[in-house]
Amino acid sequence: MSSAAEQEAEAEAVRDGVEPFPAVRRRGPVVWPGAPTPLGARCRVGPDGVAGTNFALWAGGAEAVELCLFDADGTERRLPLNELTHEIWHGFVPGVGSGQRYGYRVHGRWDPWTGARWNPAKLLLDPYARAVDGDFALPAEVYGHVRDWPQQHVADTVRDERDSAPFVPKGVVVQDDDDWSDDRRPKTPWPDSVIYEVHVKGFTKLHPGIPEQLRGTYAGLAHPAAIDHLVRLGVTAVELLPVHQFAHEDHLLRRGLRNYWGYNSVGYFAPHAGYSSSGTAGQQVGEFKRMVRALHAAGIEVILDVVYNHTAEAGELGPTLSLKGIDNRGYYRLQSDARRYADYTGCGNTLHVVQPQVLRLITDSLRYWVTEMGVDGFRFDLAAALARSFHDVDMLSPFLAVIAQDPVLRRVKLIAEPWDVGNGGYQVGAFPPLWTEWNDRYRDAVRDFWRGALPDVRDLGYRLSGSSDLYAWGGRRPYASVNFITAHDGFTLRDLVSYERKHNEANGEGNRDGTNDNRAWNCGAEGETDDPEVGALRLRQLRNLLTTLLLSTGVPMLVAGDEMGRTQGGNNNAYCQDNETSWLDWSLPDDAGRRGLLELTRRLLALRHTHPVLRRRAFFSGRPQGADGLRDLAWFTAAGTEMTEPDWYAPAATLGLFLSGRDIPGRDARGEQVTDDSFLAILHAGPDPVEFRLPGPPWAETYELVLDTSLEDQTRAPGTEHRGGGTVTVGARSVLLLRVGG
């Protein structure tokens, strides 16, 4: 390990132009002063009309910064950036243009006990790099400390002097002149939105209609065969699992696995190079943009799942890839013992969003993806971690305040995963207006009802009707609730009715990973079975769950493949399964049950699109709306009587909800009052059929049966008519939807 004096001498040599690394060629372009803004590498015309690239890096506390340019053969040229403005090191390099590979070496003190972890032997990725070439391997050379130091309890305090450049990817200079003048954003209103959570690679990898060379890529998702499925299904937005450049964790690489989901970001401006079919020297940027344009042309918005709460550098024992080596204390939350990291994410580190430079990095990244990459919104992973001030979650935090006033970001879709793993991190219902939230209380209530484990129906009533108990404050609306039953994290819908226990052995963690709280019911057999009765019951439960989701008030979110009965074999944490476990199986012609499930989903989404009563913009009042005493929402027991207070506090297997189309608040685009048909939905989770008495006048004279999940053929509406005041048989574990007649 170098002494402090040696480190200072090395930094002084860099400032004076002396060659501290004689093996590295320094001949090449001179560095002109350039400008401190914008951050990153930007092609521009410099003094006297000379073309080149301006490089700017915030590195607070650093003693020197070297720009490292890499030739095609890997030769590295190190150029000192001698200009320093407001802690930003900058310089303009004439003749450098698009396609140039680069990185940084940052000099400073090595004193992990105070959080200082500068190490110029480690090549660092520019946080503002617009493209990344190469993949992250994680040999010992990539770590700023000596991993195999004999005294492991202090290993992270011993600086590793080996060069990491051969083992890390490089940033790529990208020329970006696209003005998006030919693009038309769908701008789907929140109440009309249906979100489809999709993995770029997993959705396209096995699709038979996509050319093999495009499968697993942005171009594959832009292919007509992929877009046709989305359009025919009826979704309005794809929510892409992380597409920021990410790295694979060392413990996965050692087990021969990879990070499939991508929640391990290292480049917040760069589309993940592994999803590019056209190249990684900047071509991935254009390919991503073409994907967005193709989806927009089909009327589909693009929402990104973004991970600004932590990075791939993990804790003090993690690698040095970018921010840790630029200014560890400036970018990360540290404990009072500054050697250690504050971890509100469960991933080893937490970005210190209160710091101005971190807040700037995040908001610059968000604006870039909106204005220059064309995306329409963001889902923020562990958003509570971003809303923390110095310790506690604070809904007046700098991050939320900046978003609220930003003229670009306040106009796009903002979705919070409203929790983190720290104390006080569970914040469902607490985010301010402009934000929608993943509503896990919806997920839990619906799962419990259909598996027969709901102690009473109070919570279910709130969830089905928009969760007013959580969101009816501060001007929030029902669409603040993003309703979901499954997500990437957990069982697929088919596995939810096929397994009660997780089966994560393939992850190599002794089945210890993944949640044990699945709220699942396997319908009588664990895993796949040939029992026809169990198979039929599972399909009916799948139909029930999808129908419940798509008839509920709020914004529904489907997980790609659930509409086709996708299974992960009971793995509820397939984050490292980059294989057939996670990829969508498109072999629908082989399975009539799965085809029927897909047709039902299409019918439900078409129904939702047609009827504004299913897409309410305001909460139900539950009060009489006219002289006849009808309410906009009414709840009924199987006996046909309106539910009373004691009914809500008792277990119930059958629940009816009447949705009035006469009393929809708001007006259409032409100022006309919005009216619609009225509907009665009956949910029955009991194991035996039940006779349900249909509410008569003034609720309805007649009813037409629109949907019955007990039927195997879901390609068309049953069309049966029933009299108000009469009874209808509701099959065991099924949903009926009836349209009100005269």
Side-chain angles (χ1 to χ4, degrees):
M1 179 176 67
S2 299
S3 67
E6 289 170 333
Q7 294 173 37
E8 176 58 28
E10 182 178 278
E12 190 68 31
V14 171
R15 288 193 291 271
D16 294 342
V18 179
E19 183 63 71
F21 299 97
V24 178
R25 182 161 65 87
R26 281 185 174 274
R27 297 175 186 172
V30 296
V31 181
W32 297 351
T37 57
L39 292 171
R42 300 298 293 269
C43 297
R44 51 172 285 191
V45 176
D48 301 322
V50 177
T53 298
N54 192 83
F55 295 88
L57 176 74
W58 182 92
E63 297 172 356
V65 172
E66 288 183 297
L67 169 65
C68 305
L69 303 179
F70 291 86
D71 294 340
D73 62 1
T75 300
E76 177 183 357
R77 293 175 288 166
R78 299 183 186 175
L79 306 173
L81 297 181
N82 295 318
E83 300 296 324
L84 180 61
T85 305
H86 303 310
E87 299 187 312
I88 297 172
W89 300 79
H90 55 91
F92 177 82
V93 185
V96 168
S98 183
Q100 174 67 57
R101 298 160 71 238
Y102 74 102
Y104 291 105
R105 296 182 187 272
V106 181
H107 299 251
R109 293 187 306 113
W110 175 265
D111 185 13
W113 303 98
T114 63
R117 292 182 178 271
W118 285 285
N119 185 344
K122 308 305 167 184
L123 185 74
L124 305 175
L125 184 68
D126 180 3
Y128 281 73
R130 307 247 173 141
V132 176
D133 182 43
D135 205 353
F136 286 94
L138 296 179
E141 289 85 350
V142 174
Y143 292 76
H145 63 280
V146 179
R147 293 190 74 193
D148 55 356
W149 192 255
Q151 291 80 37
Q152 276 293 298
H153 64 288
V154 293
D156 69 288
T157 68
V158 183
R159 191 164 81 168
D160 187 298
E161 305 290 351
R162 290 172 290 185
D163 184 10
S164 69
F167 309 101
V168 294
K170 282 71 179 176
V172 181
V173 177
V174 177
Q175 176 69 47
D176 192 353
D177 298 322
D178 198 332
D179 64 3
W180 288 90
S181 59
D182 61 339
D183 181 66
R184 295 293 179 269
R185 295 177 184 262
K187 297 182 180 179
T188 307
W190 262 124
D192 302 336
S193 296
V194 178
I195 298 172
Y196 191 68
E197 191 190 45
V198 62
H199 190 285
V200 170
K201 182 175 183 179
F203 185 73
T204 61
K205 185 63 177 176
L206 300 178
H207 198 301
I210 298 174
E212 189 169 356
Q213 69 273 17
L214 301 183
R215 296 178 190 174
T217 70
Y218 304 120
L221 187 54
H223 191 273
I227 291 179
D228 178 68
H229 178 80
L230 302 173
V231 171
R232 293 183 63 202
L233 188 60
V235 299
T236 69
V238 290
E239 182 178 298
L240 304 182
L241 267 69
V243 296
H244 288 164
Q245 186 71 38
F246 61 86
H248 306 289
E249 295 91 330
D250 180 62
H251 69 91
L252 293 179
L253 295 174
R254 284 188 275 110
R255 295 202 301 267
L257 299 171
R258 295 164 59 84
N259 188 315
Y260 171 69
W261 288 348
Y263 291 91
N264 207 37
S265 301
V266 73
Y268 290 131
F269 290 77
H272 186 63
Y275 301 151
S276 174
S277 67
S278 53
T280 60
Q283 298 95 331
Q284 61 266 53
V285 177
E287 184 172 330
F288 184 93
K289 291 180 178 182
R290 290 189 292 275
M291 176 196 72
V292 173
R293 279 188 169 87
L295 289 164
H296 282 179
I300 298 169
E301 294 185 302
V302 178
I303 298 171
L304 301 189
D305 194 334
V306 289
V307 190
Y308 295 112
N309 57 78
H310 76 280
T311 76
E313 293 184 301
E316 61 271 11
L317 296 178
T320 297
L321 307 173
S322 183
L323 306 182
K324 184 181 287 186
I326 295 170
D327 187 346
N328 185 56
R329 295 177 298 188
Y331 277 109
Y332 292 116
R333 290 181 179 268
L334 304 179
Q335 299 181 21
S336 55
D337 168 12
R339 175 186 164 194
R340 311 290 185 189
Y341 291 73
D343 184 9
Y344 296 111
T345 66
C347 299
N349 65 51
T350 307
L351 281 177
H352 201 351
V353 181
V354 173
Q355 297 280 17
Q357 65 277 5
V358 181
L359 188 58
R360 179 181 181 181
L361 171 68
I362 294 173
T363 53
D364 282 354
S365 169
L366 291 169
R367 282 189 292 267
Y368 170 74
W369 286 95
V370 174
T371 60
E372 299 191 40
M373 300 295 274
V375 307
D376 306 286
F378 305 94
R379 178 265 187 190
F380 292 82
D381 181 65
L382 300 183
L386 300 174
R388 290 184 181 270
S389 290
F390 284 95
H391 298 289
D392 297 331
V393 178
D394 179 6
M395 292 304 158
L396 298 176
S397 67
F399 172 73
L400 294 178
V402 166
I403 295 292
Q405 60 79 42
D406 189 283
V408 172
L409 301 181
R410 69 188 182 199
R411 296 176 182 274
V412 301
K413 287 184 164 66
L414 302 171
I415 306 171
E417 183 184 38
W419 52 78
D420 64 20
V421 302
N423 290 334
Y426 186 76
Q427 294 289 323
V428 173
F431 275 73
L434 292 184
W435 288 81
T436 64
E437 301 175 17
W438 272 25
N439 189 350
D440 66 328
R441 290 185 60 179
Y442 178 93
R443 174 198 65 196
D444 293 348
V446 172
R447 287 188 181 193
D448 281 347
F449 176 75
W450 285 111
R451 71 189 180 107
L454 202 62
D456 56 57
V457 289
R458 288 176 300 163
D459 202 43
L460 182 66
Y462 276 120
R463 304 311 141 229
L464 297 178
S465 58
S467 295
S468 60
D469 59 329
L470 299 176
Y471 302 115
W473 65 271
R476 303 187 83 184
R477 297 295 183 93
Y479 46 82
S481 178
V482 175
N483 299 331
F484 67 103
I485 298 172
T486 59
H488 65 275
D489 187 2
F491 281 150
T492 67
L493 201 67
R494 176 174 165 184
D495 288 353
L496 188 66
V497 301
S498 304
Y499 298 88
E500 293 182 4
R501 303 182 303 277
K502 64 186 181 184
H503 296 268
N504 299 354
E505 291 80 6
N507 296 352
E509 300 177 39
N511 206 34
R512 295 183 300 273
D513 62 305
T515 182
N516 294 314
D517 182 20
N518 294 297
R519 299 173 187 257
W521 178 48
N522 62 19
C523 297
E526 185 72 2
E528 297 300 315
T529 177
D530 295 329
D531 188 319
E533 292 187 4
V534 172
L537 176 56
R538 287 176 177 175
L539 280 172
R540 195 181 323 138
Q541 288 287 78
L542 289 176
R543 295 193 290 266
N544 292 335
L545 290 164
L546 281 170
T547 301
T548 304
L549 174 65
L550 297 179
L551 294 181
S552 297
T553 301
V555 178
M557 184 185 80
L558 292 164
V559 177
D562 275 354
E563 75 278 14
M564 299 184 291
R566 183 176 73 91
T567 178
Q568 292 178 167
N571 192 323
N572 75 352
N573 189 37
Y575 77 104
C576 57
Q577 297 299 318
D578 189 0
N579 50 49
E580 287 84 353
T581 298
S582 299
W583 303 340
L584 267 67
D585 174 11
W586 293 89
S587 57
L588 275 177
D590 300 331
D591 191 320
R594 293 172 60 212
R595 288 200 307 275
L597 196 65
L598 175 59
E599 289 303 319
L600 173 65
T601 308
R602 289 170 173 165
R603 282 187 58 217
L604 284 165
L605 286 175
L607 195 70
R608 187 181 183 92
H609 176 75
T610 303
H611 292 285
V613 72
L614 302 176
R615 299 179 278 108
R616 286 180 60 97
R617 287 161 163 74
F619 288 107
F620 296 98
S621 71
R623 296 187 295 271
Q625 302 294 309
D628 56 9
L630 263 66
R631 290 179 288 282
D632 55 2
L633 173 67
W635 303 89
F636 291 90
T637 68
T641 59
E642 289 193 66
M643 292 184 65
T644 63
E645 188 72 12
D647 291 327
W648 288 109
Y649 288 85
T654 310
L655 185 66
L657 60 156
F658 186 96
L659 305 171
S660 172
R662 186 186 68 180
D663 306 305
I664 302 175
R667 299 179 181 274
D668 63 18
R670 298 184 177 182
E672 299 293 331
Q673 180 67 43
V674 178
T675 59
D676 192 13
D677 295 330
S678 297
F679 289 90
L680 175 68
I682 304 170
L683 284 66
H684 175 54
D688 300 307
V690 65
E691 293 296 313
F692 191 100
R693 186 165 296 280
L694 300 173
W699 301 100
E701 295 284 350
T702 61
Y703 295 87
E704 178 191 8
L705 185 60
V706 175
L707 184 146
D708 180 353
T709 62
S710 70
L711 302 176
E712 292 187 9
D713 182 5
Q714 293 293 329
T715 58
R716 54 189 176 84
T720 309
E721 188 173 288
H722 298 269
R723 299 290 302 176
T727 62
V728 62
T729 301
V730 186
R733 296 190 175 93
S734 62
V735 179
L736 297 187
L737 181 66
L738 302 102
R739 181 187 291 111
V740 171

